[in-house]
């Protein structure tokens, strides 16, 4: 389409902004395709995963629901399934009490000893999002926001690509770039969730769909 030179000159700022927007959208689309291996069909959706039982959690719905049983701090629970290869998407619905706050993400087998209490915030072997404003990246704690965007109810999606060693975390269907982890190890990884406040709970979503 031929554009009048005067129009281009007068609207060059808007045109550059539009070009930047289109470029950013293309890069985001490409990044999403890489996350899922090129197609949503390549993703194995975790619709039949359960939590491991422990003394601090009450399990329900055939192990799909974990609820804090006692008023203690940061009760943790991890998935029975360990992911070793391929591309997987899991979605967990969090419903927290007024004392809420959470950590959610992936942990390695060596993290098992701390699965009930996450008092040590920089322990290795975990890749976790904390309340939308911190990430814990294999022993390094990083603050990624100045504000705690805390919600008592959230739907958290975990897109794990073992082929590219990458974990992307979605909150209520939205992806945040600083909630992405790279260089995960090529070893068995479990989904992990830790929260506090009696009655707080985490439920696997059996109807999860990859948010692209």
């Amino acid at each position: 389409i031929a554009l009048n030179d005067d129009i281009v000159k007068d609207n060059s700022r808007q045109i550059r902004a539009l070009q930047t927007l289109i470029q950013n959208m293309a890069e985001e689309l490409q990044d999403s395709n890489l996350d899922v291996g090129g197609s949503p069909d390549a993703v194995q959706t975790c619709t039949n995963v359960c939590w491991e039982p422990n003394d601090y959690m009450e399990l329900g719905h055939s192990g799909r629901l974990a609820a804090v049983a006692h008023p203690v701090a940061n009760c943790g629970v991890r998935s029975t399934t360990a992911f070793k290869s391929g591309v997987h998407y899991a979605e967990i619905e969090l419903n927290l009490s007024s004392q809420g706050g959470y950590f959610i993400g992936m942990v390695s087998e060596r993290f098992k000893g701390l699965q009930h209490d996450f008092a040590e915030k920089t322990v290795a072997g975990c890749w976790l999002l904390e309340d939308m404003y911190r990430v814990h990246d294999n022993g390094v704690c990083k603050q990624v926001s100045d504000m705690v965007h805390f919600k008592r109810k959230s739907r958290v999606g975990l897109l794990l690509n073992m082929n590219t060693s990458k974990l992307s975390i979605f909150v209520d269907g939205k992806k945040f770039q600083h909630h992405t982890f790279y260089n995960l190890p090529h070893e068995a990884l479990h989904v992990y969730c830790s929260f506090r406040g009696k009655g707080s709970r985490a439920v696997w979503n059996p109807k999860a769909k990859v948010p692209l």
Side-chain angles (χ1 to χ4, degrees):
I1 300 174
L3 296 177
N4 182 279
D5 290 341
D6 293 336
I7 296 177
V8 173
K9 183 176 181 180
D10 293 341
N11 297 280
S12 58
R13 181 180 301 177
Q14 288 86 347
I15 292 174
R16 287 196 301 270
L18 181 59
Q19 290 173 335
T20 301
L21 176 61
I22 293 173
Q23 181 179 356
N24 290 341
M25 292 175 64
E27 291 175 354
E28 182 67 21
L29 179 60
Q30 181 181 18
D31 188 51
S32 296
N33 286 334
L34 291 174
D35 283 347
V36 301
S39 167
D41 296 333
V43 182
Q44 298 182 48
T45 305
C46 305
T47 58
N48 192 28
V49 183
C50 300
W51 297 114
E52 286 184 348
N54 64 58
D55 295 336
Y56 298 91
M57 293 286 184
E58 294 178 345
L59 301 186
H61 300 317
S62 300
R64 289 193 298 106
L65 179 149
V68 178
H70 307 289
V72 295
N74 293 328
C75 299
V77 65
R78 73 175 197 172
S79 64
T80 55
T81 302
F83 303 94
K84 301 177 182 179
S85 61
V87 185
H88 307 270
Y89 180 74
E91 198 168 85
I92 297 149
E93 296 176 355
L94 297 176
N95 193 332
L96 307 177
S97 72
S98 57
Q99 304 175 40
Y102 65 85
F103 301 87
I104 191 167
M106 308 298 299
V107 297
S108 67
E109 292 284 349
R110 63 182 180 274
F111 190 75
K112 186 175 181 180
L114 291 176
Q115 73 178 87
H116 303 320
D117 186 0
F118 196 55
E120 293 189 40
K121 302 295 181 66
T122 57
V123 66
C126 68
W127 296 265
L128 303 172
L129 171 65
E130 178 188 356
D131 294 339
M132 291 286 290
Y133 80 108
R134 285 184 188 146
V135 294
H136 300 268
D137 190 350
N138 195 28
V140 179
C141 178
K142 305 175 184 177
Q143 185 161 329
V144 295
S145 175
D146 294 330
M147 298 181 63
V148 180
H149 304 284
F150 175 75
K151 295 173 61 178
R152 290 184 60 185
K153 293 184 179 181
S154 297
R155 178 169 47 90
V156 180
L158 306 172
L159 181 58
L160 175 66
N161 191 331
M162 296 296 287
N163 302 327
T164 60
S165 302
K166 183 177 180 181
L167 169 66
S168 300
I169 298 182
F170 299 77
V171 179
D172 294 328
K174 297 180 180 180
K175 180 182 176 182
F176 298 86
Q177 191 62 38
H178 49 269
H179 296 168
T180 300
F181 299 86
Y182 303 89
N183 301 317
L184 273 68
H186 292 285
E187 60 183 86
L189 298 175
H190 295 259
V191 174
Y192 174 88
C193 185
S194 174
F195 37 57
R196 58 185 177 272
K198 186 175 182 179
S200 294
R201 61 183 183 174
V203 185
W204 294 94
N205 182 6
K207 299 180 180 180
K209 295 183 179 179
V210 183
L212 295 180

